[in-house]
Amino acid sequence: MEHKTKRDLALINLIADFEHKYELGEIGYVQEKVFHQLIEYYEDEYLLEKALEVVNMAISQFKYRSEFYITKARLLLMGNKAQECLQYLDIAESIAPFEREIIIIRAKALAFMKEFTTALNILNELKESSTKSDMVDVLIAESYIYEYMKNFDLMYDCLAKAALMDSSNQEAMERIWISAELSRRYEDSVKLHQEIIETDPYNYQAWYNLGHGYNCTGEYEKAIEALEYSFIINPDFESGYLDCADTCLQIRDFDKALQIYIEANAKFGPNSELMVSIADCYIHLNNINVAKQWLIRSIKLDGYNDEAYYLLGKCYAKEEIWYNAINAYHKAIGLENRREEYYLGLAKAYLAIEDYNKATVNFQMATQTGPEDTTYWREYACFMIKLGLYEEALQILDEAEDHTYGADLLYCRAIIAYLVKREKAGTQSAGGSLFGRF
């Protein structure tokens, strides 16, 4: 679960200045505080190699600062390099032998190496001398061990204790939802976060987790309300906006989803992906002209956004401007050729202009790209049925059985049987009205 928050402008300028000087080879002396800011930024952006480069610079400049060795060990563990991680922990321990974070990271590294008993023993010893605030970090570390052991219930239990002890701990609050998903303890998660909110009502992360809990228990209206609170409390919390809007889409509340996407784009944009989401809402609301305007803006911002071209194709298809639709679908496929819905849209566009050969090719591509979905086999079979090619349609349905199963495919077989029987009886095909259900 990726959490997005708006970046501070001063930090963005700091990063830009550092990267510019780095390219020119003019880094020079960097303050310790700045090193920490740079490392934290790259770590948050999952740019581990870049973060390691920066921490190496920090170590060369501050050779006796244990925190940089600890940071390097943590980054190495994030990159699944547990053995190297332990080596740097040894260096850090020689400088700061009583640093608790060294013990915690060591336990995680040993757990990664499947030395679970040793890792748990280390943490159990640490618990004996831990204060309440220290215990939160120990419980979080313990949760990693149980995660590596695939004991997701104990992972959840550790994190639930940690979250109740300190609901302001971001790592505990982020990982508690991960553990709830892994253990499928959605109802427990809902109760836990309701309890946290009773004592900490302005905890945006708790509202966010509660929203996801409601989502997983099928209470979508409550989920939307909870997710909305998350970004009302923290207006810079982008994930709150996006997940709330996505939940609105699940219950087909396109008006509310649209409002949230527009608000998010105004706050975090201009953003090509958000513009595509806005356009998608307008398409569902049958406001095609406005949808096209947003898609054109999205493409101007990012000419490689395949979904923008696909939705533009849908807009032209709704307007029956078929050659424009075909052109847009081709551009989408040129950018991303593994999306079955793109081929289906193109196939239908070719069908509309009666280019049956190209329609056939793209129906076939749709089934090959998404063979597990009955939609594409059904559409392909119905296309053949409408052309009167019943044997070919049956072959398609036979092939579909190797990949998927669905009542709609059985219904296609029933239609074919009915039409073949009618033909044998010497009557005209009456199958056209049967396709209304599709």
Side-chain angles (χ1 to χ4, degrees):
M1 182 172 55
E2 181 185 352
H3 291 245
K4 297 180 181 179
T5 52
K6 190 175 181 180
R7 288 289 178 193
D8 179 74
L9 184 59
L11 176 61
I12 293 170
N13 290 335
L14 176 69
I15 300 300
D17 181 60
F18 171 79
E19 292 186 347
H20 177 67
K21 289 178 178 177
Y22 181 79
E23 286 178 9
L24 297 175
E26 299 175 355
I27 294 295
Y29 178 83
V30 179
Q31 291 181 348
E32 188 176 348
K33 178 185 175 183
V34 172
F35 271 131
H36 284 298
Q37 288 177 301
L38 293 167
I39 293 163
E40 183 181 2
Y41 170 81
Y42 290 123
E43 187 176 345
D44 287 346
E45 294 295 317
Y46 302 102
L47 299 169
L48 295 186
E49 290 301 320
K50 194 73 176 174
L52 281 167
E53 285 180 23
V54 176
V55 82
N56 285 336
M57 291 180 204
I59 288 171
S60 67
Q61 192 170 305
F62 298 97
K63 288 184 173 62
Y64 300 103
R65 293 287 191 184
S66 62
E67 56 265 38
F68 289 122
Y69 292 100
I70 294 170
T71 298
K72 182 163 184 178
R74 188 182 70 250
L75 292 171
L76 286 167
L77 185 57
M78 289 174 67
N80 299 331
K81 297 176 181 177
Q83 200 66 54
E84 288 183 58
C85 164
L86 290 172
Q87 292 171 10
Y88 277 91
L89 288 177
D90 289 340
I91 298 171
E93 194 170 35
S94 69
I95 300 169
F98 303 108
E99 179 60 56
R100 296 175 61 82
E101 191 177 358
I102 295 171
I103 302 170
I104 287 173
I105 297 173
R106 189 182 297 280
K108 290 181 184 177
L110 290 168
F112 181 83
M113 297 165 68
K114 301 190 185 302
E115 296 183 31
F116 303 125
T117 303
T118 306
L120 287 170
N121 287 339
I122 287 172
L123 292 184
N124 285 333
E125 287 179 17
L126 193 57
K127 284 179 183 178
E128 294 175 5
S129 59
S130 292
T131 63
K132 185 178 178 180
S133 60
D134 292 332
M135 185 63 76
V136 173
D137 292 329
V138 176
L139 287 167
I140 292 170
E142 195 173 355
S143 77
Y144 280 97
I145 297 172
Y146 289 127
E147 183 178 7
Y148 291 136
M149 294 171 67
K150 299 191 184 304
N151 192 332
F152 301 126
D153 277 314
L154 286 179
M155 176 190 176
Y156 176 88
D157 290 339
C158 286
L159 290 164
K161 289 177 188 175
L164 287 170
M165 283 183 183
D166 183 8
S167 58
S168 66
N169 187 296
Q170 187 174 354
E171 187 175 11
M173 294 302 291
E174 288 182 358
R175 282 183 58 75
I176 186 63
W177 175 246
I178 294 170
S179 69
E181 285 191 300
L182 291 171
S183 61
R184 299 181 180 274
R185 290 172 65 172
Y186 305 124
E187 291 181 3
D188 288 344
S189 178
V190 167
K191 290 175 184 175
L192 172 70
H193 287 93
Q194 286 174 335
E195 186 178 347
I196 290 170
I197 286 166
E198 282 180 13
T199 56
D200 188 7
Y202 294 101
N203 188 319
Y204 77 94
Q205 185 71 57
W207 282 107
Y208 181 74
N209 290 351
L210 179 62
H212 279 287
Y214 282 135
N215 248 329
C216 291
T217 56
E219 298 179 87
Y220 299 115
E221 295 290 349
K222 288 183 178 179
I224 290 168
E225 183 180 21
L227 290 168
E228 196 167 13
Y229 274 126
S230 77
F231 65 83
I232 288 172
I233 293 167
N234 182 1
D236 292 332
F237 186 45
E238 189 176 353
S239 291
Y241 292 87
L242 301 182
D243 292 355
C244 186
D246 287 347
T247 306
C248 291
L249 294 181
Q250 287 184 58
I251 63 170
R252 302 186 69 78
D253 188 346
F254 299 113
D255 282 308
K256 189 169 184 65
L258 176 62
Q259 172 195 337
I260 295 168
Y261 282 133
I262 288 175
E263 186 178 346
N265 189 62
K267 188 163 191 63
F268 304 104
N271 181 290
S272 179
E273 295 296 333
L274 284 171
M275 289 176 179
V276 166
S277 297
I278 291 166
D280 194 27
C281 289
Y282 276 119
I283 290 170
H284 280 102
L285 294 169
N286 208 30
N287 195 335
I288 304 303
N289 282 332
V290 176
K292 285 197 298 184
Q293 290 171 21
W294 278 98
L295 290 169
I296 290 166
R297 287 172 63 187
S298 172
I299 291 165
K300 283 181 179 177
L301 198 63
D302 178 8
Y304 296 95
N305 191 325
D306 55 283
E307 196 166 356
Y309 283 110
Y310 166 66
L311 290 181
L312 190 59
K314 282 185 72 172
C315 289
Y316 286 127
K318 284 182 176 289
E319 294 174 325
E320 299 186 1
I321 307 174
W322 297 113
Y323 287 99
N324 284 8
I326 288 167
N327 184 49
Y329 287 136
H330 271 299
K331 286 183 177 178
I333 291 168
L335 293 167
E336 175 53 76
N337 62 5
R338 295 170 296 175
R339 294 283 292 272
E340 52 269 23
E341 65 269 34
Y342 295 3
Y343 291 108
L344 180 61
L346 184 56
K348 288 184 172 182
Y350 276 126
L351 176 58
I353 63 169
E354 300 181 358
D355 190 335
Y356 300 133
N357 289 332
K358 289 181 180 177
T360 301
V361 169
N362 285 284
F363 276 121
Q364 189 173 21
M365 286 299 298
T367 58
Q368 288 177 0
T369 311
E372 70 287 343
D373 193 325
T374 61
T375 302
Y376 305 102
W377 296 103
R378 183 190 72 214
E379 293 282 357
Y380 191 10
C382 287
F383 165 62
M384 288 296 177
I385 293 169
K386 288 176 182 177
L387 295 180
L389 301 173
Y390 305 138
E391 286 298 322
E392 288 82 351
L394 284 171
Q395 288 174 14
I396 291 164
L397 294 172
D398 289 341
E399 187 181 349
E401 287 183 354
D402 294 334
H403 304 281
T404 188
Y405 176 83
D408 51 349
L409 301 184
L410 294 174
Y411 191 69
C412 286
R413 286 188 183 277
I415 290 173
I416 294 168
Y418 172 79
L419 293 174
V420 169
K421 184 177 179 182
R422 295 272 298 192
E423 280 195 359
K424 284 182 179 178
T427 59
Q428 289 185 337
S429 171
S433 62
L434 295 173
F435 292 101
R437 297 194 186 190
F438 296 122

